[in-house]
Amino acid sequence: MRVVNLGPDPSLAYRPDSHEKDKSEFRNFESGALFDRVFNTYKLMHTYQTLDFVRQKHLEWAKCNRFSMSMMENIDSLDELVDESDPDVDFPNSFHAFQTAEGIRKEHPDKDWFQLVGLIHDIGKIMALYGEPQWAVVGDTFPVGCKFQNSIVFRNSTFEGNPDEKNHALNTEFGIYEPKCGLDNILMSWGHDEYLYRVMKFNKCTIPEEVNKSSKQYTFIYAFKSHYQTLFFCQGLYMIRFHSFYPWHSNGDYMHLCNEKDLQMLPWVKEFNKFDLYTKSTELPDVESLRPYYQSLIDKYCPGILRW
């Protein structure tokens, strides 16, 4: 039996007019050659990703004391990884890194930091090569500690074994959180998004400030810079942290937990999302020809050997 995800995918609006795949084939969670693999990955994820599990993974991984490696070495290691939650591709994740980066580079040639985010956004998946099962690494993310919303992939058929689903302290709209507390204060299901965000912060990797200085927005920020500098200047890290949070950025759920910062960052996440999803193609890039350019971006923003 094929399980249909509730509602249309709002990111349909971002899909390209011409592509080797038809629009309806992207994020197909209803059928297809990879359906069983994808469904089984989400079934395990939705059974075992609990509040306690996520807290434990933060203790295990967020200290970045597992191994040392450069960014490009990490990207190369993803030659060994095929994302078992992805219904769109069945080739190593390293190619997707360059596809995303090149899509951004074409449309945003002046934002090299954005291109770098496209290149590295998935490299937290290296956890799968160091003992973590893929259901704790890949796939769409969602908050734990509050009600699982209907737009989560396979919502009605995969959570029955999750103990938090039956915990009255955790299955309400707000659960353990306060209204408009902000996504920075939410515990998300554990995966590559949160892990790479932690790695970037731990290693003090620099993502530059991005603002249009001629705009009214800049005048507003400048007047209140001490409070708003993080709000508008950390788009890159924010994209990394929440790019897999589809129930929020593509379906509009969990808005009751968002603060002003989240609402300001949402357009940036949506902009990133269209490159993350719709640059996927079996027409693989010539990685060797692209490597020198992207190595220069790595050297600029997150050079050397990093702690993971």
Side-chain angles (χ1 to χ4, degrees), residues 3-253:
V3 183
V4 181
N5 187 30
L6 294 178
D9 184 352
S11 57
L12 179 66
Y14 295 138
R15 297 178 182 178
D17 293 328
S18 62
H19 197 282
E20 65 179 49
K21 291 177 65 173
D22 183 79
K23 292 179 179 181
S24 63
E25 294 182 77
F26 287 98
R27 281 181 64 81
N28 179 359
F29 293 106
E30 302 175 24
S31 60
L34 304 177
F35 177 86
D36 290 339
R37 183 190 77 182
V38 172
F39 179 82
N40 290 334
T41 300
Y42 277 103
K43 175 72 172 179
L44 291 167
M45 179 195 305
H46 295 166
T47 298
Y48 297 112
Q49 288 267 10
T50 64
L51 179 62
D52 288 342
F53 175 83
V54 169
R55 285 171 170 165
Q56 180 59 37
K57 290 304 166 185
H58 274 266
L59 293 175
E60 293 178 13
W61 286 96
K63 296 177 183 177
C64 299
N65 58 3
R66 292 299 189 96
F67 53 92
S68 298
M69 182 182 291
S70 71
M71 280 290 187
M72 192 60 80
E73 287 174 328
N74 186 316
I75 293 168
D76 290 342
S77 73
L78 295 186
D79 286 346
E80 305 174 36
L81 178 69
V82 176
D83 186 332
E84 295 175 358
S85 72
D86 194 333
D88 294 323
V89 298
D90 196 30
F91 52 77
N93 221 143
S94 54
F95 289 106
H96 171 57
F98 286 95
Q99 287 175 333
T100 306
E102 282 294 280
I104 294 171
R105 185 183 180 187
K106 181 178 180 180
E107 193 161 328
H108 296 281
D110 59 326
K111 294 180 175 60
D112 61 356
W113 64 268
F114 195 1
Q115 299 160 25
L116 179 64
V117 169
L119 182 74
I120 68 174
H121 72 282
D122 272 350
I123 63 175
K125 292 179 182 179
I126 198 171
M127 289 188 293
L129 304 180
Y130 283 81
E132 285 296 339
Q134 286 216 19
W135 57 262
V137 175
V138 302
D140 294 5
T141 58
F142 53 90
V144 295
C146 62
K147 180 181 178 180
F148 303 123
Q149 299 290 325
N150 287 337
S151 63
I152 298 173
V153 171
F154 303 124
R155 170 65 179 93
N156 291 336
S157 55
T158 54
F159 279 93
E160 64 272 12
N162 189 312
D164 290 2
E165 174 87 324
K166 306 173 184 66
N167 186 327
H168 295 307
L170 305 179
N171 63 11
T172 64
E173 287 294 309
F174 292 101
I176 65 173
Y177 307 112
E178 297 294 329
K180 301 185 185 302
C181 60
L183 298 185
D184 283 340
N185 297 307
I186 300 297
L187 281 172
M188 302 293 296
S189 55
W190 182 253
H192 66 283
D193 295 42
E194 184 69 23
Y195 176 51
L196 180 57
Y197 170 77
R198 297 288 174 175
V199 169
M200 297 288 283
K201 295 284 283 186
F202 182 89
N203 288 280
K204 297 180 172 58
C205 297
T206 59
I207 296 293
E209 299 180 349
E210 174 69 19
V211 67
N212 181 358
K213 294 185 178 181
S214 64
S215 68
K216 292 180 180 179
Q217 183 186 72
Y218 177 79
T219 303
F220 175 74
I221 299 169
Y222 186 80
F224 298 96
K225 186 173 181 181
S226 62
H227 179 70
Y228 284 98
Q229 59 183 355
T230 304
L231 183 62
F232 289 94
F233 296 158
C234 64
Q235 295 97 325
L237 291 180
Y238 199 93
M239 291 177 204
I240 287 170
R241 195 176 193 181
F242 296 111
H243 73 270
S244 299
F245 189 9
Y246 281 88
W248 172 61
H249 66 63
S250 288
N251 290 79
D253 274 337

